[in-house]
């Protein structure tokens, strides 16, 4: 059967009209990040009636702030977590196949400045290849000095002994989240962003729904559901606590947030299609320099953080770490004035019973699924690469607890996401224009008014109109941070494009697109800590 590539309209009036209907859903999902969207898609594909609400925009939090890597986890292999690595390598292949316009293989090079580094890390990476098996993306290679510098032309040549090249994947996280949402909608799910879950509904001590509120109008909606999933990432404990208070059953917090900082600089600092990876820096952390959409991402840190700000800011020592370590490996290291954007993600790491949350590097990256006595299903932890496997585990738990009738899994293993082209894909993840991210829908975008009218930051008028009509976009931030990635690539460029984007959005939606709030936000993405 030929796939229909015609985009579905995401008129907010229509979405809210459906939300207001009197009905009982099989499944209500709270949280529109990678995990919640994955659960909604899997359940919809199995034929369940599904509703998902998100208090902000889809992927507003952690799920748009990843290091943009689809990976098995080299450092998890070093920790001895073979099961997690094997699962992630399998899911890596699945993701690359199901969304080839949004994910692609990427070669990484570890430069060696000590004689023991290449053989030591090379052996580990050969094991990485072996675990991947037929799902491997390319064989690990040992490189000499000249070949290493060909792959990483701006690496420091002084003392270079060679390097090791291996393969992983890269993706556009926010646009993948959007593809999950839109694919779930194609399978009948109702997804509404800017609709906050204010409280859970309990009947006879059991969770039976959600009270939510349209944050644009303040109008309240009551959702009835046989099963409710709490997929709110680092914020899951707040909803668990609310459930606990309603049922008078105390709960222990399970999330230890970890902060990851990313610094974006111009491509001149690493003019290559290969990424640089340092497996062990001066303090034991990993350092990446990853080419992405015409820029280079430097990161990432792993620092405990107790507050749960929606727009967390980097600590001064984190920026010093990234720039300082970059200077050890790049011939010309970027300084503070070279930074185009700084963004921070909070990872929802799951802490064991005896953990105080102060050493997040030692915490597991595996996910956890819990079911409270009231029937609230909570999922947290994990990582982007394994979102699909996490969704299957959530539904298995729902079946096990009798919250939903069991239905076979596997429907998402070979499920092309919205936009997947029917033919071969020319990988262009390093292309700043980003047309590749529309996949089969590029033709629809180019047919809209203003396809050639550039607004700056590789954004056209047609892209804004497409975002408003077919991609749930409501604000300037939605467009410039997540439908297009300008804020994450160059915050000043995003600020320059914002007024025109706001004008077009207001024409399309008729609501305030939040221009002033976005301009204030752009200042935070270039503000250096301590200033």
């Amino acid at each position: 059967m030929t796939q229909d590539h015609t985009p579905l309209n995401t008129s907010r009036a229509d979405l809210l009209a459906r939300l207001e209907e009197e009905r009982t859903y099989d499944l209500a999902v709270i949280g529109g990040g990678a995990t919640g969207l994955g659960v909604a898609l899997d359940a919809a594909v199995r034929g369940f009636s599904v509703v998902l609400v998100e208090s902000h925009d889809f992927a507003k939090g952690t799920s748009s702030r990843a290091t943009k890597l689809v990976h098995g986890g080299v450092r998890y292999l070093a920790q001895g977590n073979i099961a997690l690595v094997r699962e992630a390598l399998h899911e890596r292949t699945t993701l690359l196949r199901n969304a080839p316009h949004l994910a692609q293989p990427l070669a990484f090079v570890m430069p060696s400045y000590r004689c023991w580094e290449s053989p030591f890390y090379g052996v580990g990476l050969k094991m990485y290849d072996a675990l991947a098996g037929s799902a491997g993306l390319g064989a690990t290679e040992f490189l000499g000095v000249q070949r290493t510098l060909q792959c990483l032309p701006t690496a420091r040549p002084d003392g270079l002994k060679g390097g090791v090249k291996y393969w992983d994947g890269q993706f556009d996280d926010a646009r993948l989240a959007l593809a999950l949402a839109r694919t779930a909608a194609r399978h009948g799910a109702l997804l509404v962003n800017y609709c906050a879950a204010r409280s859970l509904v309990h009947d006879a001590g059991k969770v039976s729904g959600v009270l939510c509120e349209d944050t644009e109008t303040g109008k309240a909606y009551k959702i009835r559901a046989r099963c409710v999933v709490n997929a709110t990432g680092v914020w899951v404990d707040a909803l668990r606590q609310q459930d606990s208070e309603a049922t008078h059953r105390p709960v222990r917090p399970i999330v230890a947030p970890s902060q990851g900082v990313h610094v974006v600089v111009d491509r001149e600092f690493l003019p290559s299609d290969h990424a640089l990876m340092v497996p062990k820096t001066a303090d034991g952390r990993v350092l990446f320099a990853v080419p992405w959409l015409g820029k280079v991402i430097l990161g990432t840190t792993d620092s405990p953080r107790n507050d749960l700000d929606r727009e967390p800011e980097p600590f001064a020592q984190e920026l010093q770490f990234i720039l300082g370590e970059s200077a050890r490996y790049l011939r010309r290291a970027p300084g503070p004035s070279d930074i185009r954007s700084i963004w921070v993600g909070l990872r929802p790491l799951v802490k064991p019973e005896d953990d105080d949350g102060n050493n997040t590097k030692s915490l597991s990256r595996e996910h956890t699924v819990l079911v409270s006595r009231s029937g609230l299903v909570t999922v947290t932890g994990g990582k982007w690469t394994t979102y699909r496997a996490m969704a299957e585990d959530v539904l298995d738990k729902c079946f096990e607890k009798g919250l939903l009738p069991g239905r076979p899994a596997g429907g998402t293993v070979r499920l092309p996401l919205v936009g997947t082209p029917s033919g071969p894909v020319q990988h262009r993840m390093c292309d700043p224009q980003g047309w590749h991210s529309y996949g089969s829908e590029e033709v629809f975008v180019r047919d809209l008014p203003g396809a050639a009218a550039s607004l700056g930051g590789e954004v056209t008028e047609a892209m804004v109109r497409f975002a408003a009509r077919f991609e749930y976009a409501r604000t300037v931030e939605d467009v410039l941070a997540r439908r297009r990635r300008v804020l994450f690539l160059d915050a000043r460029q995003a600020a320059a494009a914002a007024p025109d984007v706001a004008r077009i959005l207001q024409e399309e939606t008729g609501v305030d697109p939040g221009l002033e709030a976005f301009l204030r936000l752009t200042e935070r993405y270039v503000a250096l800590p301590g200033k």
Side-chain angles (χ1 to χ4, degrees):
M1 185 174 67
T2 303
Q3 184 181 357
D4 180 11
H5 296 302
T6 306
L8 293 180
N9 193 287
T10 56
S11 161
R12 189 163 183 85
D14 293 345
L15 298 177
L16 294 176
R18 288 176 60 190
L19 193 65
E20 198 167 19
E21 293 173 359
E22 285 286 338
R23 64 175 300 184
T24 299
Y25 289 90
D26 293 320
L27 183 68
V29 181
I30 305 172
T35 306
L37 293 168
V39 171
L41 175 57
D42 194 322
V45 167
R46 298 195 207 200
F48 292 110
S49 57
V50 178
V51 60
L52 179 148
V53 293
E54 161 59 45
S55 59
H56 294 73
D57 186 26
F58 303 127
K60 157 70 176 177
T62 306
S63 295
S64 62
R65 301 157 190 267
T67 314
K68 319 307 179 197
L69 302 181
V70 185
H71 62 116
V74 172
R75 69 169 170 168
Y76 311 143
L77 182 63
Q79 294 169 357
N81 197 334
I82 303 298
L84 176 61
V85 174
R86 184 181 286 114
E87 177 185 61
L89 287 169
H90 173 79
E91 291 301 322
R92 178 188 70 179
T93 301
T94 301
L95 196 159
L96 293 175
R97 179 182 62 241
N98 290 346
H101 56 308
L102 298 173
Q104 69 177 55
L106 177 67
F108 288 74
V109 174
M110 293 182 181
S112 301
Y113 290 89
R114 297 178 179 87
C115 293
W116 59 267
E117 288 179 325
S118 284
F120 179 79
Y121 291 119
V123 168
L125 288 166
K126 288 289 186 181
M127 185 184 300
Y128 196 60
D129 292 349
L131 286 173
S134 61
L137 302 178
T140 293
E141 303 174 52
F142 291 94
L143 307 179
V145 173
Q146 291 306 312
R147 182 74 179 111
T148 300
L149 289 174
Q150 286 174 4
C151 296
L152 304 175
T154 51
R156 289 179 65 91
D158 300 342
L160 183 65
K161 309 297 183 186
V164 184
K165 176 180 175 179
Y166 74 99
W167 289 84
D168 249 323
Q170 180 181 56
F171 75 133
D172 187 327
D173 50 4
R175 289 204 62 83
L176 182 64
L178 187 63
L180 292 176
R182 298 178 64 216
T183 307
R186 276 193 175 276
H187 285 81
L190 171 62
L191 302 98
V192 187
N193 54 350
Y194 295 103
C195 189
R198 297 303 187 197
S199 62
L200 298 169
V201 177
H202 291 83
D203 288 326
K206 298 293 183 182
V207 173
S208 59
V210 183
L211 287 176
C212 56
E213 177 186 297
D214 174 10
T215 60
E216 290 185 0
T217 65
K219 184 174 180 178
Y221 296 84
K222 187 174 185 178
I223 301 171
R224 289 282 182 184
R226 296 177 180 86
C227 179
V228 177
V229 172
N230 171 17
T232 52
V234 293
W235 297 276
V236 292
D237 284 327
L239 207 56
R240 292 177 67 239
Q241 183 61 36
Q242 188 186 114
D243 179 51
S244 167
E245 292 170 357
T247 56
H248 307 291
R249 291 164 178 151
V251 295
R252 180 187 65 86
I254 60 172
V255 172
S258 167
Q259 174 164 294
V261 175
H262 303 82
V263 171
V264 177
V265 296
D266 288 335
R267 185 174 166 82
E268 65 188 65
F269 290 98
L270 185 62
S272 172
D273 291 339
H274 291 69
L276 182 152
M277 193 271 203
V278 179
K280 192 171 184 180
T281 58
D283 70 350
R285 286 182 281 194
V286 175
L287 177 74
F288 291 103
V290 180
W292 189 66
L293 297 178
K295 300 290 185 182
V296 174
I297 299 172
L298 303 174
T300 177
T301 59
D302 197 346
S303 306
R305 182 148 196 166
N306 295 321
D307 63 304
L308 300 177
D309 195 330
R310 287 280 173 179
E311 285 291 345
E313 296 185 1
F315 301 128
Q317 62 269 29
E318 291 179 303
L319 185 61
Q320 292 165 5
F321 163 76
I322 292 174
L323 295 181
E325 289 299 314
S326 298
R328 296 181 61 197
Y329 294 94
L330 296 177
R331 187 181 305 158
R332 177 180 164 235
S337 62
D338 297 306
I339 294 173
R340 300 293 177 238
S341 184
I342 308 172
W343 33 275
V344 183
L346 298 178
R347 306 181 187 97
L349 304 185
V350 180
K351 55 185 178 183
E353 293 283 347
D354 58 351
D355 190 87
D356 60 7
N358 289 322
N359 182 16
T360 55
K361 291 189 288 293
S362 67
L363 296 187
S364 173
R365 266 56 179 174
E366 293 181 273
H367 61 275
T368 292
V369 184
L370 302 174
V371 181
S372 72
R373 293 183 183 181
S374 71
L376 176 67
V377 180
T378 293
V379 55
T380 194
K383 58 179 184 170
W384 243 120
T385 306
T386 57
Y387 83 87
R388 198 200 63 81
M390 291 168 64
E392 288 190 345
D393 286 350
V394 169
L395 289 177
D396 284 347
K397 185 67 74 172
C398 295
F399 302 154
E400 175 190 320
K401 297 296 182 179
L403 300 170
L404 291 173
R407 293 180 184 174
T412 58
V413 173
R414 291 186 175 274
L415 178 69
L417 299 185
V418 161
T420 297
S422 54
V425 175
Q426 179 183 353
H427 293 303
R428 295 175 289 170
M429 193 63 73
C430 292
D431 178 6
Q433 292 184 332
W435 279 106
H436 66 277
S437 67
Y438 291 104
S440 62
E441 295 184 320
E442 181 177 337
V443 62
F444 295 101
V445 185
R446 292 188 183 276
D447 277 347
L448 292 174
S454 175
L455 308 179
E458 307 298 345
V459 178
T460 67
E461 178 182 331
M463 290 175 175
V464 181
R465 296 194 187 281
F466 189 83
R469 297 178 191 182
F470 306 110
E471 295 183 326
Y472 298 92
R474 304 296 293 172
T475 70
V476 176
E477 183 190 338
D478 295 347
V479 174
L480 291 176
R482 289 173 290 278
R483 306 316 183 271
R484 311 308 306 155
R485 308 312 306 275
V486 190
L487 178 63
F488 285 76
L489 295 168
D490 191 323
R492 294 180 182 88
Q493 197 172 56
D500 284 334
V501 171
R503 172 180 53 79
I504 297 165
L505 262 185
Q506 192 146 29
E507 288 177 12
E508 291 286 338
T509 66
V511 298
D512 179 4
L515 174 60
E516 294 305 318
F518 180 74
L519 292 176
R520 290 193 297 272
L521 181 62
T522 61
E523 294 174 0
R524 296 182 67 167
Y525 276 62
V526 289
L528 301 181
K531 291 190 177 181

